[in-house]
Amino acid sequence: MAFGAEELRVLRRALALALHPSPVSAEDVQNCLRLAESVDEAACEGARLRTFLLDDLARYRAALPGTAAGYLVLLEEVLTSGYRPNPDDLAALRALRGNPTAAALLDRCRVLAEQDVRARLAGRAVASVPSSRTRLLALPGGRAADEPAKKPEPKPQSQPPAGTPRPDRPVPTPGEVFPPRRKPGPPPANPPQQLAAG
């Protein structure tokens, strides 16, 4: 994001006011508001462009190897904007490593992927409980010894769900629940004859 000369003047004035508070003119307030709106609009536009580029990258990746040249250019562009390669990108680059550009991008993406894994592991290690703390609870005379032993709570007797038959009553057979249909009897031997109109 680049600022013009007028925007830099407004930004410098806003920073000066933030560091040394003093009465502010209405013009300064309007200028700061306009600059904030411009920055927000540029950030939204940047996010839209990034989404478009990533969608485009996925389309090119899905059409490989025929789109190798376009895919490599797009991947390099999104990497410079802070994109972190995913496993699909690494697999695609491995398939294209005969291409010198793809081989160079593969090396770069491997480094970025390793950095991401290390960062995730470091974050997990910080968030987990230190091993020394967990061992103290298990040592004789540790904190676990101070706590009274808890008796296991008795399990509540399970009630059968509503609608299930009681065990003391026999379960009806399907023939009792759905009695068989009776077949209709044979038709009468001499059906009544209709009188012919004379």
Side-chain angles (χ1 to χ4, degrees):
M1 186 183 301
F3 290 107
E6 182 62 25
E7 291 168 331
L8 281 175
R9 186 189 64 75
V10 173
L11 185 60
R12 199 175 296 124
R13 176 73 177 134
L15 290 172
L17 288 170
L19 292 172
H20 306 289
S22 62
V24 183
S25 68
E27 183 185 356
D28 284 340
V29 171
Q30 289 301 318
N31 289 339
C32 288
L33 288 174
R34 273 196 296 275
L35 180 62
E37 287 173 4
S38 298
V39 169
D40 287 345
E41 189 178 328
C44 288
E45 188 59 35
R48 280 195 295 271
L49 178 62
R50 181 180 169 80
T51 303
F52 172 77
L53 283 175
L54 293 180
D55 289 345
D56 222 15
L57 182 71
R59 280 192 291 274
Y60 273 79
R61 186 174 53 231
L64 285 173
T67 56
Y71 172 72
L72 296 174
V73 169
L74 267 175
L75 182 60
E76 195 160 9
E77 186 175 345
V78 295
L79 285 174
T80 56
S81 70
Y83 172 73
R84 303 309 253 184
N86 62 30
D88 292 337
D89 293 315
L90 293 171
L93 289 172
R94 278 190 211 101
L96 297 171
R97 71 179 147 218
N99 181 321
T101 308
L105 276 173
L106 178 59
D107 291 340
R108 182 175 169 191
C109 288
R110 277 184 182 151
V111 169
L112 291 172
E114 286 172 14
Q115 288 173 355
D116 285 349
V117 169
R118 284 193 192 110
R120 277 197 299 269
L121 290 175
R124 242 183 248 147
V126 170
S128 65
V129 178
S131 57
S132 59
R133 188 75 182 260
T134 55
R135 266 187 260 121
L136 279 178
L137 298 176
L139 286 174
R143 264 185 68 196
D146 297 339
E147 297 174 3
K150 293 182 181 177
K151 294 180 182 176
E153 295 180 14
K155 291 183 180 177
Q157 294 182 351
S158 60
Q159 296 286 336
T164 57
R166 293 187 305 247
D168 57 341
R169 194 170 141 218
V171 178
T173 64
E176 292 171 339
V177 176
F178 305 106
R181 287 189 182 169
R182 297 181 186 226
K183 293 183 180 177
N190 295 324
Q193 296 179 353
Q194 293 181 349
L195 296 173

